[in-house]
C-alpha cells in the first residue's frame, strides 16, 4: 500500500524535477544569448557546433548553484529476520544541494527529503549546512553541519572517529551515506608544509549504529540466545563534546599523518550495571592517538595505519561491561591488476590489552573473543564501457572470528542523469555473537535508481 | 638546460609568428627533436597555465554526456615533472570532485581524488595511463602528455614535404599500449601535433586525435578545440578550452590537499 503511494509520489517528483530542469535549461538557453554576446570576444565555439547544445554553462561564474537527485531504493532480506519489516530498504529520497559562493566565504546547504517505508518515517534530513571561510591566509574554518573523513583504511576506520551510518552501509545506500554528518567546527591551519586540523563537535554525535530497528543484532543482555529489537535496547545518550585533531604532511609523494581523539566510543559498547540507568547501554569515554603513512610502492599504493584506543573508564581492563584498551594496526595495498581492473587488500588487527583481566571478568566465557581480532579484506573494481559500468566486490573475512561479509555491486551510469545500481550485503559466520556472524539474518539484496538534476 | 631549450624554442616560435616568411628554411630532420618540441608546446607552454575546459562524450548511438572542469597546471621543470589540479563543475554527480596529479617523467605519477560527499581524499594507484579520463575518449596520457621516452620515433621524410612533419612512433614496449604504432602530423611552424592516428598491427586505424581549432594566447599557439575518435564504433569526445592563461604566477602551495577541500577561488576565474 505504502509502496504504491511512494511510486506515485516518486513519479510526481521525477516529473516535476524533469520540468524544473527543462525550465532551467530554457532559462540557460535564453541567457545563452547574453552569454554568447559576452563570449563572442573571447570564445564563440559554443554556437558553432550543435553538439554542445546549450552554450557553455557558466558554472564557475555563478554565485548560486542548485542541484540534487531523486532516488528510489528497494532492498529485501534474503531470509527471515526478527525485525518488523521484511524489507531492508524501501525508500524514495529527494536531495537538494544549494551552494552560495562568495569571494570571502562559501555556504553549503544540502538536505534529503526521505520517504522511508521500512521505518515508516517521512523525514527531512539536513546533511550539510555550513559556512567555510579563511579568516587568515593560512587558516580555513568550516562551521556547521558537515561530513568529515580522514585516515587511510577502506571501509575500516582506526583514527577516523567521525560518525558513521552503519544502517545505511548495511542496507546498500550509496557509500556517501556511510559517513554521517556532525554539527562541528573544523579549523585547518597551514604551517610550512604541515597542515593541522582541529575538529570540535560540541555535542557528541554517535554512529547510526545497528539498533534492531532496520537490522537485528546479537545482544547478550536481553536474550541470551537471540537477536534483539530496539525497544529492548535502551541506550543512554551523551551530551558532552568530542575533539579530533590531525597533523599531516606530504614529502616526496609520501603522506605522513598523526591523529588524536578525545571523546567516547562511537557505538554504545558499555552497559550500566547499576544506578538509575541500570541495564542501559551507553557510550564509555575513550581517547585515542595514532599515525599513518601512505606511499606509492612497486606498481601500487601502500598504507599503514595504527591507533591506540584508551578506554578511560576501564583502564585496567577488569570491567566486563566496558571494552578494554585496544591497539589497532592496518596494512593495505592497492594496485591496478590489468587495465581497468583494480585490486586491493587489507590486513587489520585489533589487539586487546589486559587480556587476562578480560578473561577473568567476562560474563560469557563461552563467547570469549581472541586477543587479536583479525580481519582481511579484498576489493576488486572493474570499469567498462567508458567507465559507465562499474562492478565491484568487497570481501571482509575474519580468521579469528570465523565470519565475514561480502558486498558485491554493479552500477550503470546511463548518462549524466540516470544511474542504476544493484548489489547485496551477505554475512556469514560460525557463531551468532561475532561481529559479522550476528548479522547473518540481515543478509539482503538491493536495487537503486537515481536521477541527477 | 631545459630553460635554454625553451628560450631557444620561444624565440623560434616568436620569429615564426612575427616573420613567417623568413623561417621556412629551418627544417628539422631529427624525429626526436620534433617530438620534443611538440611535447614542449603541447604541455609546457609558459611556466604555468590555467583554463576552463568542457568535454562532450558521444557514444556509438549518439548519446551525449558532458564534463566541465577547470585545470591549473604548473611546471616543476620544462619537459619534466608537473603539478596539475582539475576541478569538476559538471555534471551534478561529479561536481566538486577535484583531481590532483603530480606528473613524474622518471617514475609513476602521484594521483589524488577528492570526493566532496564523503570529504574523502582518495589516493589512486598510478595505474595504466591509457585508460579513460573521466569516462571520455581522452586517456590520462592525452591530457597530461605521453612520455616521449616510451616510443621510438622516425620522421617519414617523403610525407613531410608540406606544412607538416609526419612522424611515426612505435612503442618500445608494445605490451603496455593498445596500438602498434602511431602517425603524428606536426605543424612545422607551431610544432603542435595537429593529427595523431593510432594503428593496430594490421595497419587498421583504431583511434584518432585531431585539432579542430587553435588560438594565439600570450604568444603561445594553443589548442582550444580537439576531438578523439574511436573507429571501432565511431564514438568520440570533443574537448574545448577557454579563458586560457599562461604565466599567471600560480604559487606552488596551491598544489596540495588544501585546494582539494577548499578550491583556490582566486586562481579559478
Amino acid at each position: 500500500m505504502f509502496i504504491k503511494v511512494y511510486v506515485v509520489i516518486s513519479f510526481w517528483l521525477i516529473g516535476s524535477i524533469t520540468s524544473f530542469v527543462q525550465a532551467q535549461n530554457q532559462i540557460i538557453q535564453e541567457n545563452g544569448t547574453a552569454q554568447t554576446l559576452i563570449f563572442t570576444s573571447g570564445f564563440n565555439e559554443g554556437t558553432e557546433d550543435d553538439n554542445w547544445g546549450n552554450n557553455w554553462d557558466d558554472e564557475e561564474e555563478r554565485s548560486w548553484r542548485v542541484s540534487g537527485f531523486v532516488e528510489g531504493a528497494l532492498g529485501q532480506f534474503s531470509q527471515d529476520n526478527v525485525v518488523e519489516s521484511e524489507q531492508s530498504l524501501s525508500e524514495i529520497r529527494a536531495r537538494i544541494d544549494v551552494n552560495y559562493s562568495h569571494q570571502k566565504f562559501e555556504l553549503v546547504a544540502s538536505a534529503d527529503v526521505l520517504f522511508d517505508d521500512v521505518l515508516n518515517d517521512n523525514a527531512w534530513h539536513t546533511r550539510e549546512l555550513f559556512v567555510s571561510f579563511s579568516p587568515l591566509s593560512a587558516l580555513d574554518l568550516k562551521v556547521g553541519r558537515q561530513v568529515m573523513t580522514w585516515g587511510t583504511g577502506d571501509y575500516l576506520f582506526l583514527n577516523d572517529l567521525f560518525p558513521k551510518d552503519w544502517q545505511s552501509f548495511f542496507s546498500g545506500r550509496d557509500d556517501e551515506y556511510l559517513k554521517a554528518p556532525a554539527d562541528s567546527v573544523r579549523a585547518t591551519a597551514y604551517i610550512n608544509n604541515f597542515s593541522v586540523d582541529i575538529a570540535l563537535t560540541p555535542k557528541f554525535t554517535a554512529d547510526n549504529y545497528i539498533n534492531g530497528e532496520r537490522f537485528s543484532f546479537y545482544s547478550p543482555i536481553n536474550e541470551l540466545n537471540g537477536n534483539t529489537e530496539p525497544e529492548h535496547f535502551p541506550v543512554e545518550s551523551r551530551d558532552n563534546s568530542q575533539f579530533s585533531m590531525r597533523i599531516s604532511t606530504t614529502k616526496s609523494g609520501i603522506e605522513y599523518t598523526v591523529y588524536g581523539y578525545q571523546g567516547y566510543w562511537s557505538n554504545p559498547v558499555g552497559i550500566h550495571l547499576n544506578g538509575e540507568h541500570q541495564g542501559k547501554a551507553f557510550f564509555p569515554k575513550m581517547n585515542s592517538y595514532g599515525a599513518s603513512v601512505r606511499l606509492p610502492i612497486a606498481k601500487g599504493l601502500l598504507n599503514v595505519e595504527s591507533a591506540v584506543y584508551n578506554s578511560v573508564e576501564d583502564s585496567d581492563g577488569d570491567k566486563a561491561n566496558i571494552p578494554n584498551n585496544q591497539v589497532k594496526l592496518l596494512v593495505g595495498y592497492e594496485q591496478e591488476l590489468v587495465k581497468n581492473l583494480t585490486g586491493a587488500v587489507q590486513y587489520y588487527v585489533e589487539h586487546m590489552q589486559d587480556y587476562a583481566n578480560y578473561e577473568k571478568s567476562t560474563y560469557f566465557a563461552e563467547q570469549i573473543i581472541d586477543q587479536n581480532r583479525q580481519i582481511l579484506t579484498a576489493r576488486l573494481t572493474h570499469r567498462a564501457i567508458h567507465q559507465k559500468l562499474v562492478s565491484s566486490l568487497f570481501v571482509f573475512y575474519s580468521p579469528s572470528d570465523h565470519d565475514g561479509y561480502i558486498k558485491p555491486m554493479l552500477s550503470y551510469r546511463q548518462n549524466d542523469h540516470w544511474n542504476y545500481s544493484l548489489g547485496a550485503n551477505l554475512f556469514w559466520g560460525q557463531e551468532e555473537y561475532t561481529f559479522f556472524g550476528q548479522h547473518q539474518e540481515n543478509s539482503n539484496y538491493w536495487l537503486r535508481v537515481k536521477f541527477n538534476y | 638546460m631545459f630553460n635554454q631549450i625553451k628560450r631557444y624554442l620561444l624565440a623560434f616560435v616568436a620569429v615564426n609568428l612575427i616573420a613567417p616568411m623568413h623561417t621556412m628554411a629551418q627544417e628539422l630532420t631529427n624525429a626526436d627533436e620534433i617530438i620534443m618540441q611538440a611535447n614542449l608546446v603541447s604541455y609546457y607552454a609558459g611556466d604555468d597555465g590555467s583554463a576552463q575546459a568542457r568535454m562532450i562524450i558521444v557514444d556509438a548511438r549518439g548519446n551525449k554526456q558532458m564534463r566541465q572542469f577547470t585545470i591549473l597546471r604548473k611546471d616543476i621543470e620544462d619537459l619534466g615533472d608537473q603539478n596539475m589540479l582539475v576541478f569538476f563543475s559538471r555534471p551534478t554527480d561529479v561536481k566538486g570532485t577535484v583531481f590532483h596529479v603530480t606528473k613524474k617523467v622518471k617514475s609513476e605519477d602521484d594521483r589524488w581524488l577528492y570526493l566532496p560527499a564523503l570529504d574523502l581524499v582518495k589516493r589512486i594507484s598510478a595505474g595504466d595511463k591509457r585508460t579513460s579520463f573521466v569516462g571520455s575518449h581522452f586517456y590520462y596520457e592525452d591530457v597530461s602528455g605521453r612520455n616521449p621516452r616510451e616510443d621510438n620515433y622516425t620522421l617519414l621524410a617523403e610525407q613531410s614535404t608540406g606544412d607538416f612533419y609526419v612522424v611515426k612512433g612505435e612503442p618500445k614496449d608494445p605490451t603496455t599500449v593498445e596500438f602498434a604504432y602511431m602517425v603524428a602530423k606536426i605543424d612545422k611552424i607551431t610544432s603542435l601535433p595537429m593529427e595523431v592516428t593510432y594503428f593496430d598491427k594490421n595497419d587498421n586505424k583504431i583511434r584518432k586525435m585531431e585539432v579542430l581549432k587553435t588560438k594565439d594566447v600570450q604568444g603561445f599557439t594553443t589548442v582550444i578545440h580537439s576531438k578523439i575518435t574511436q573507429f571501432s564504433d565511431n564514438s568520440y569526445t570533443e574537448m574545448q578550452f577557454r579563458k586560457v592563461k599562461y604565466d599567471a604566477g600560480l604559487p606552488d602551495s596551491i598544489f596540495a590537499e588544501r585546494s582539494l577541500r577548499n578550491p583556490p577561488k582566486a586562481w579559478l576565474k
Side-chain angles (χ1 to χ4, degrees):
Chain A
M1 160 67 193
F2 270 109
I3 280 301
K4 280 182 196 154
V5 174
Y6 289 135
V7 168
V8 170
I9 291 171
S10 65
F11 277 109
W12 172 77
L13 268 172
I14 291 174
S16 36
I17 281 166
T18 315
S19 37
F20 169 75
V21 170
Q22 279 162 357
Q24 214 187 22
N25 285 346
Q26 213 164 9
I27 293 166
I28 291 168
Q29 267 162 0
E30 282 161 15
N31 287 345
T33 331
Q35 289 180 356
T36 314
L37 287 177
I38 296 163
F39 296 144
T40 317
S41 50
F43 198 94
N44 58 5
E45 278 71 23
T47 52
E48 286 177 3
D49 193 336
D50 289 342
N51 250 336
W52 301 85
N54 302 327
N55 283 292
W56 194 308
D57 186 27
D58 250 333
E59 202 75 52
E60 290 82 1
E61 316 281 314
R62 273 191 265 150
S63 314
W64 286 98
R65 293 184 213 171
V66 180
S67 59
F69 59 80
V70 177
E71 184 179 58
L74 284 174
Q76 187 81 37
F77 289 114
S78 60
Q79 67 287 300
D80 285 344
N81 197 331
V82 297
V83 293
E84 224 166 87
S85 173
E86 282 173 23
Q87 284 177 301
S88 50
L89 197 60
S90 172
E91 64 191 29
I92 304 281
R93 179 188 296 272
R95 159 68 71 84
I96 180 160
D97 294 322
V98 180
N99 262 45
Y100 179 75
S101 183
H102 183 271
Q103 194 57 32
K104 300 264 183 222
F105 65 90
E106 196 86 15
L107 183 68
V108 174
S110 175
D112 287 343
V113 181
L114 182 67
F115 304 91
D116 186 337
D117 194 30
V118 172
L119 304 183
N120 267 326
D121 180 24
N122 302 336
W124 171 276
H125 294 285
T126 305
R127 184 148 175 90
E128 288 178 306
L129 183 60
F130 66 80
V131 59
S132 66
F133 55 103
S134 304
L136 302 168
S137 64
L139 180 70
D140 293 342
L141 276 184
K142 202 165 163 180
V143 182
R145 182 164 298 186
Q146 55 190 295
V147 172
M148 290 181 276
T149 300
W150 63 42
T152 64
D154 187 8
Y155 290 162
L156 290 175
F157 303 95
L158 286 76
N159 290 294
D160 179 338
L161 286 147
F162 302 114
K164 322 283 183 309
D165 183 345
W166 298 109
Q167 296 195 23
S168 290
F169 187 64
F170 282 7
S171 65
R173 283 181 186 145
D174 192 284
D175 269 359
E176 162 183 357
Y177 292 99
L178 169 58
K179 297 295 294 192
D183 296 328
S184 306
V185 176
R186 178 173 180 169
T188 312
Y190 303 89
I191 304 153
N192 297 325
N193 288 321
F194 291 86
S195 63
V196 180
D197 281 274
I198 290 169
L200 178 73
T201 305
K203 194 179 168 209
F204 168 70
T205 308
D207 287 359
N208 189 16
Y209 50 88
I210 305 299
N211 62 2
E213 197 172 26
R214 185 182 292 272
F215 296 107
S216 59
F217 71 105
Y218 181 84
S219 165
I221 20 171
N222 296 301
E223 298 164 49
L224 281 171
N225 48 7
N227 280 348
T228 192
E229 286 164 27
E231 53 268 34
H232 297 129
F233 188 61
V235 175
E236 186 213 357
S237 59
R238 289 274 196 181
D239 289 336
N240 304 52
S241 63
Q242 274 169 301
F243 174 82
S244 304
M245 68 164 296
R246 176 183 78 153
I247 301 172
S248 60
T249 190
T250 303
K251 200 168 190 299
S252 312
I254 306 175
E255 297 163 60
Y256 305 90
T257 313
V258 294
Y259 312 84
Y261 170 79
Q262 188 178 45
Y264 303 89
W265 289 87
S266 54
N267 286 293
V269 287
I271 294 159
H272 283 295
L273 296 179
N274 40 46
E276 57 166 326
H277 295 296
Q278 187 177 1
K280 267 191 187 179
F282 74 107
F283 303 93
K285 282 184 185 158
M286 197 274 280
N287 300 333
S288 80
Y289 58 90
S292 72
V293 60
R294 185 158 62 175
L295 67 155
I297 202 162
K299 286 186 166 177
L301 276 180
L302 176 76
N303 61 291
V304 181
E305 183 170 345
S306 69
V308 177
Y309 282 26
N310 198 347
S311 193
V312 186
E313 296 178 51
D314 184 22
S315 48
D316 295 327
D318 52 4
K319 293 184 184 136
N321 59 323
I322 297 170
N324 285 15
N325 294 340
Q326 292 177 347
V327 178
K328 300 181 173 203
L329 176 73
L330 172 80
V331 181
Y333 180 74
E334 184 198 281
Q335 189 194 310
E336 191 181 60
L337 301 173
V338 292
K339 196 173 194 159
N340 293 317
L341 177 68
T342 306
V345 287
Q346 297 180 111
Y347 171 75
Y348 166 83
V349 59
E350 198 176 275
H351 174 83
M352 192 196 294
Q353 296 190 307
D354 306 307
Y355 192 71
N357 287 348
Y358 160 75
E359 281 183 308
K360 237 182 287 172
S361 61
T362 187
Y363 304 129
F364 308 101
E366 69 283 3
Q367 293 177 13
I368 206 154
I369 54 169
D370 285 10
Q371 181 168 20
N372 294 305
R373 181 172 161 253
Q374 300 167 75
I375 297 175
L376 293 163
T377 78
R379 184 198 274 278
L380 282 176
T381 309
H382 183 253
R383 288 166 209 280
I385 327 176
H386 282 277
Q387 302 177 350
K388 283 181 178 176
L389 182 67
V390 179
S391 353
S392 86
L393 179 68
F394 196 101
V395 182
F396 294 88
Y397 168 67
S398 172
S400 51
D401 287 357
H402 306 287
D403 62 359
Y405 173 22
I406 303 184
K407 271 179 96 72
M409 191 197 75
L410 198 63
S411 173
Y412 181 69
R413 188 183 187 281
Q414 188 189 0
N415 52 38
D416 293 340
H417 295 300
W418 290 98
N419 202 98
Y420 316 96
S421 43
L422 56 95
N425 293 284
L426 308 170
F427 302 89
W428 84 92
Q430 274 178 17
E431 310 291 348
E432 59 182 357
Y433 57 83
T434 58
F435 193 80
F436 298 120
Q438 65 182 315
H439 295 300
Q440 291 174 76
E441 286 186 357
N442 292 326
S443 291
N444 63 78
Y445 306 98
W446 57 266
L447 172 76
R448 287 191 274 122
V449 177
K450 191 172 183 177
F451 176 83
N452 290 297
Y453 66 89
Chain B
M1 157 153 174
F2 284 121
N3 275 331
Q4 268 178 325
I5 294 170
K6 188 175 158 190
R7 256 197 296 274
Y8 159 76
L9 238 143
L10 290 183
F12 178 79
V13 171
V15 167
N16 275 300
L17 288 172
I18 296 159
M21 289 305 176
H22 305 286
T23 54
M24 291 314 221
Q26 272 292 351
E27 282 257 342
L28 295 171
T29 51
N30 182 318
D32 289 337
E33 202 175 330
I34 295 166
I35 291 295
M36 189 194 71
Q37 295 198 358
N39 197 24
L40 194 62
V41 299
S42 301
Y43 297 104
Y44 293 91
D47 289 331
D48 62 42
S50 66
Q52 290 183 7
R54 64 175 177 178
M55 282 178 170
I56 183 155
I57 306 163
V58 183
D59 73 10
R61 281 180 286 172
N63 300 314
K64 290 171 192 167
Q65 292 182 68
M66 274 278 237
R67 303 287 183 270
Q68 193 169 319
F69 49 94
T70 303
I71 296 189
L72 301 182
R73 182 249 321 157
K74 183 166 186 177
D75 304 343
I76 296 165
E77 186 179 48
D78 266 327
L79 288 173
D81 296 355
Q82 288 178 313
N83 270 312
M84 210 179 283
L85 285 166
V86 182
F87 301 87
F88 287 90
S89 53
R90 276 181 85 188
T92 302
D93 58 344
V94 298
K95 188 188 67 166
T97 301
V98 186
F99 188 55
H100 175 201
V101 188
T102 303
K103 172 178 154 182
K104 293 178 175 174
V105 176
K106 288 179 186 148
S107 61
E108 298 286 3
D109 297 353
D110 289 332
R111 300 182 191 173
W112 290 268
L113 193 66
Y114 178 67
L115 303 170
L118 284 154
D119 180 47
L120 175 66
V121 178
K122 189 175 154 58
R123 191 150 184 185
I124 313 168
S125 53
D128 194 326
K129 291 177 189 169
R130 299 193 69 76
T131 51
S132 164
F133 177 73
V134 293
S136 75
H137 294 78
F138 283 79
Y139 292 150
Y140 280 97
E141 229 171 49
D142 298 315
V143 178
S144 66
R146 179 168 168 80
N147 194 334
R149 292 164 206 237
E150 309 238 353
D151 305 304
N152 291 315
Y153 297 102
T154 42
L155 178 66
L156 304 179
E158 64 280 13
Q159 292 176 43
S160 303
T161 49
D163 295 338
F164 301 98
Y165 296 114
V166 181
V167 176
K168 184 178 176 182
E170 288 168 284
K172 288 176 185 169
D173 181 1
T175 60
T176 60
V177 290
E178 79 293 351
F179 63 89
Y181 64 94
M182 60 165 146
V183 174
K185 284 173 73 177
I186 297 165
D187 190 303
K188 285 184 181 172
I189 294 171
T190 64
S191 285
L192 277 178
M194 300 302 283
E195 196 180 291
V196 183
T197 313
Y198 299 81
F199 295 85
D200 66 12
K201 57 182 188 302
N202 301 318
D203 300 324
N204 296 315
K205 288 180 185 177
I206 47 178
R207 187 170 181 266
K208 183 171 82 173
M209 186 286 297
E210 57 195 313
V211 171
L212 301 179
K213 188 163 187 169
T214 62
K215 184 182 168 189
D216 182 277
V217 180
Q218 297 167 239
F220 299 100
T221 308
T222 304
V223 175
I224 55 165
H225 192 176
S226 59
K227 180 179 179 181
I228 290 197
T229 310
Q230 182 181 307
F231 290 112
S232 61
D233 60 1
N234 286 320
S235 59
Y236 62 92
T237 295
E238 283 186 48
M239 176 152 65
Q240 289 184 324
F241 288 105
R242 69 168 181 182
K243 301 192 179 174
V244 181
K245 274 181 243 165
Y246 296 111
D247 294 319
L250 301 179
D252 289 324
S253 60
I254 63 168
F255 296 94
E257 187 175 320
R258 184 182 194 177
S259 295
L260 305 185
R261 286 202 162 87
N262 185 8
K265 283 180 205 166
W267 304 105
L268 292 175
K269 293 237 159 117

